[in-house]
Amino acid sequence: MANKTLKPLVILIQPSGPLPADPRVYLGQEVTFRLDGVTAAEVRFTDGSCFSQPGPFFLSNASPLAANSEHTVTLTAAPRNYPYDLVLPPTAASRLGGNAETKKGGLDVTTDPPEDPK
């Protein structure tokens, strides 16, 4: 099956938002949300999730295991965009207001990629 050849996708959670912002993912593909330059984050899917667990997913630099959140796109996910919000804690510069910052991202689920002709 083509899914076995898919490389896992890593979404870096940065102060400016997720990278890549709206990646294309495939049914059965592994997706890892990883903190990069932020101490914590919450990933909230706003219109359903393409994973078996709907979330929200909490990440924290409190431990190495909590700094990543690994999931697999379900084989039954409908091909469409799955938008999510990243809720980041206030930075030292923005602590006066005390509000968390929200960044937008999405996962564009598509059908299985064509198999390589051999």
Side-chain angles (χ1 to χ4, degrees):
M1 183 174 212
N3 286 340
K4 294 183 189 249
T5 62
L6 291 173
K7 292 183 180 180
L9 173 72
V10 176
I11 297 175
L12 297 176
I13 299 174
Q14 300 182 328
S16 59
L19 285 179
D22 293 306
R24 176 168 287 181
V25 295
Y26 300 93
L27 302 178
Q29 186 172 13
E30 291 180 23
V31 177
T32 299
F33 293 91
R34 179 175 295 155
L35 295 179
D36 183 34
V38 297
T39 58
E42 179 182 347
V43 180
R44 294 182 192 160
F45 281 86
T46 57
D47 187 24
S49 171
C50 58
F51 305 122
S52 59
Q53 301 165 334
F57 307 121
F58 300 94
L59 293 88
S60 170
N61 278 338
S63 77
L65 290 177
N68 297 314
S69 187
E70 297 176 0
H71 307 279
T72 301
V73 177
T74 66
L75 296 176
T76 58
R80 66 176 181 89
N81 187 275
Y82 291 84
Y84 62 86
D85 290 339
L86 287 178
V87 181
L88 306 175
T91 62
S94 68
R95 286 197 196 276
L96 295 176
N99 293 328
E101 197 172 346
T102 301
K103 305 290 183 179
K104 304 269 184 206
L107 296 173
D108 184 18
V109 175
T110 188
T111 57
D112 285 337
E115 293 192 33
D116 292 334
K118 292 188 179 192

